[in-house]
Amino acid sequence: MDKLLITGGRPLEGTVPISGAKNAALPIMAATLLASGVHTLRNVPRLRDTRTFARVLELLGAKVAFDGNVCTIDSTGVNSVEAPYELVKTMRASIYVLAPLLARFGAARVSLPGGCAWGPRPVNLHLSGLQAMGAALDIEHGYIVGRDVKLIGGRFGFDVVSVGATAQLMMAAVLAQGTTVLENVAVEPDVTALGDALVACGARIEGLGSRNLTIHGVATLKPIDATIIPDRIEAATFAAAAAMTGGRLRLERVVPAHFEAVLRKLEEAGSTVERAPDAVTVTGPSRPRAVNVVTQPFPGFPTDMQAQMIAVCALASGTSLIEDTVYLDRFTHVPELARMGASIELRGNVAVVRGVDRLYGAPVMATDLRASASLVLAGLAANGDTLIDRIYHLDRGYETLEKKLGAVGARIERIS
Ligand code: UD1
C-alpha cells in the first residue's frame, strides 16, 4: 500500500493549478444517464472517485473514455438498472444514479451505501424526496428497489440541507411529469453547476443558486457538454498550506467566491489574501493566530475544510474552537494530529485546539479524504519526517497532490 513521506518545515512558494471539482463531476457524470447519447465533460479530475463512478456507469451499460481531463460518456447502450454493493460501498456518491435510472427507465436497483468513517450518513432525504415525486421504493436485501416508477411533479421541503439529496431530486424533477417545488435546497456551487449543466441541455429549472427551486419537467434532454467547475476544497486546502507554512501560493483557475468563507478565516488567522477574478494569492503569517470556526452549508465554512483548519490552528498562537455542525463525528484526524504533537481536546462536535509552537513528524494513518489532507498539511509544517499510511483516501479527492506540492517546494515522496 502506498505511503507518503513528507519532510516538513519548508515554506511553500509558487503557483498551483487547481483541478476540476470532484463533487461537481460526480453528479454530472450521473446526469448523463438522463439522456441517451454521447456526453462530453471537460476538466474532469483524474481521481479514484471519478474512475469508480465511470465503472458504475460502465456496469449499467454506458461507454466511458478519458482523454486527459475530457471524459466522454456514451449512455446510449445503458441496459441495466443495478448499482451493486461492491461499488456503492466504496463510494457513497454512486447513489446519484438512482434518480436518473428511475427517470429514464422507471426502475432501479441501487445498493444502500451503509455507514462511513465519520458516522451513519443516512439517505432518508433522497428516499422521501423521491417518494414525494411518486416513486414507490422498497428496501430489499440491502438494495433500494423501484419498479414501474412514473415520476410526477411534487413538493418537498428539506428539514436538513443536503447536497446529495438536492442533486438527486433535481435529476428526478427535470424529467418528471409536471412541476416540482423543492424548498430549503443546498446552494453549494456543485449543486448549482449540476443545475446549469441540466439547463444547458434543455431542463427548465427556476431559482438556481437560491434556497427554493421550481422545476418544470420536460419530455427529453439533449446530451450534456459541460466544463467542471474548479475544486474549491482543493483550492482551500492549498490556501491553508500557504497559511500554515508561512509561504506564498498563487492558486490559478479558481472561483474565489466559492471558498470565500475559508479565505476570510485564513485572513483572520493572519494571512494576506489577494483576489483576482480567477486566481487567489495567499501569503501566510510567520505564525497563524487562533480562530473560531463553525462549519455550515454553503456559503458558510465547509465541513470538508474542518480537518485542514484544525491542522492550521494546531500551530496557531492561542486556543481555537472548531465546531462541525454538518457532521458531528468527523474527527478521526484528531488522534493522528495528537501523535504529531498537537494539543486538541474533543468536546462533542467541538475541537478545542490549543496551539503549540511546533509539530513533529511522525508515522500517521489517513482515515478519510479530508482527514488525510489535514495530516499532509501538518506534515508540511512539522519538524522532521512524517510518513502517512493509507493514502488511497487522498487519491480519491486530490489530483496529483504530491506533484503539485513538489512543484511549490515541498519535500514529498510517494513510497510504494
Ligand atoms: C456532500 C459532499 C461531501 C460534503 C457534504 C457536506 C459529495 C460527493 N460529497 O456529501 O464531501 O462533506 O456534501 O457538504 O458531494 N443527511 C440526512 N439525510 C440524507 C442526506 C443527508 O440526514 O438523506 C444529513 C447528513 O447526515 C449531514 C447533512 O445532511 O448531516 C449534510 O449531508 P449532505 O449534504 O447530504 O452530504 P453528501 O451529499 O453526502
Side-chain angles (χ1 to χ4, degrees):
M1 217 181 279
D2 286 4
K3 297 182 169 95
L4 272 186
L5 175 64
I6 302 175
T7 306
R10 294 159 69 100
L12 301 187
E13 290 189 7
T15 297
V16 185
I18 298 301
S19 299
K22 166 178 88 73
N23 288 353
L26 298 177
I28 295 177
M29 289 177 82
T32 64
L33 294 169
L34 288 167
S36 173
V38 180
H39 308 254
T40 308
L41 313 186
R42 303 163 207 282
N43 200 32
V44 177
R46 300 295 296 266
L47 299 167
R48 222 161 66 102
D49 274 12
T50 48
R51 277 198 299 275
T52 305
F53 211 96
R55 185 81 198 103
V56 174
L57 295 176
E58 283 168 347
L59 277 183
L60 296 171
K63 292 201 180 77
V64 185
F66 279 94
D67 178 8
N69 292 104
V70 178
C71 176
T72 308
I73 301 172
D74 183 350
S75 61
T76 315
V78 172
N79 56 3
S80 160
V81 294
E82 172 159 338
Y85 178 61
E86 289 64 39
L87 282 175
V88 180
K89 75 174 181 197
T90 67
M91 191 184 61
R92 297 175 51 80
S94 316
I95 197 176
Y96 277 144
V97 300
L98 178 60
L101 290 173
L102 292 173
R104 184 161 150 203
F105 300 103
R109 190 165 187 277
V110 176
S111 170
L112 273 169
C116 86
W118 71 79
R121 294 190 78 182
V123 292
N124 58 307
L125 295 168
H126 298 243
L127 302 184
S128 48
L130 288 168
Q131 273 152 0
M133 296 174 64
L137 299 172
D138 296 308
I139 304 297
E140 294 174 6
H141 307 287
Y143 279 72
I144 306 160
V145 180
R147 301 180 183 90
D148 299 324
V149 168
K150 174 134 189 53
L151 293 170
I152 46 170
R155 176 179 284 269
F156 188 77
F158 290 88
D159 52 357
V160 177
V161 175
S162 164
V163 172
T166 300
Q168 187 84 270
L169 297 191
M170 274 170 63
M171 291 190 282
V174 289
L175 287 183
Q177 187 187 337
T179 297
T180 299
V181 175
L182 302 177
E183 289 162 344
N184 197 27
V185 300
V187 293
E188 267 67 3
D190 316 298
V191 172
T192 307
L194 169 68
D196 288 338
L198 291 170
V199 167
C201 53
R204 291 179 57 208
I205 306 176
E206 293 163 13
L208 266 182
S210 78
R211 289 276 170 214
N212 296 310
L213 299 176
T214 302
I215 302 174
H216 306 285
V218 296
T220 54
L221 294 171
K222 293 191 298 257
I224 299 173
D225 187 333
T227 300
I228 304 303
I229 59 170
D231 194 317
R232 66 200 163 99
I233 304 299
E234 186 200 13
T237 302
F238 278 100
M244 209 173 160
T245 62
R248 180 181 169 85
L249 291 180
R250 179 178 158 85
L251 315 175
E252 291 190 335
R253 301 205 311 241
V254 297
V255 180
H258 287 178
F259 56 117
E260 181 58 27
V262 178
L263 293 174
R264 275 205 302 268
K265 275 297 158 192
L266 294 177
E267 284 177 317
E268 201 184 318
S271 295
T272 305
V273 177
E274 297 154 66
R275 296 161 179 82
D278 59 359
V280 164
T281 304
V282 180
T283 310
S286 52
R287 184 179 182 189
R289 286 192 294 269
V291 287
N292 295 336
V293 172
V294 181
T295 69
Q296 242 130 37
F298 190 82
F301 191 98
T303 173
D304 283 350
M305 278 300 294
Q306 176 258 100
Q308 300 90 315
M309 203 63 199
I310 287 187
V312 174
C313 292
L315 269 182
S317 56
T319 298
S320 307
L321 300 179
I322 315 278
E323 177 177 0
D324 201 326
T325 67
V326 179
Y327 289 110
L328 308 184
D329 292 339
R330 192 180 191 177
F331 290 102
T332 52
H333 40 288
V334 165
E336 297 300 311
L337 290 170
R339 303 196 63 258
M340 301 177 69
S343 170
I344 307 169
E345 182 194 339
L346 267 183
R347 294 187 191 151
N349 64 330
V350 181
V352 181
V353 187
R354 295 185 182 85
V356 294
D357 292 339
R358 278 179 199 290
L359 293 174
Y360 294 94
V364 288
M365 195 160 72
T367 45
D368 71 59
L369 171 55
R370 307 303 170 186
S372 317
S374 81
L375 298 177
V376 171
L377 293 182
L380 291 169
N383 279 31
D385 288 353
T386 297
L387 187 63
I388 307 181
D389 200 355
R390 301 204 179 165
I391 55 160
Y392 54 84
H393 293 292
L394 276 171
D395 295 334
R396 294 187 55 177
Y398 289 91
E399 193 175 41
T400 61
L401 180 70
E402 65 266 29
K403 198 168 140 213
K404 288 185 183 183
L405 282 171
V408 293
R411 282 168 63 192
I412 182 165
E413 191 186 340
R414 183 179 287 250
I415 300 173
S416 297

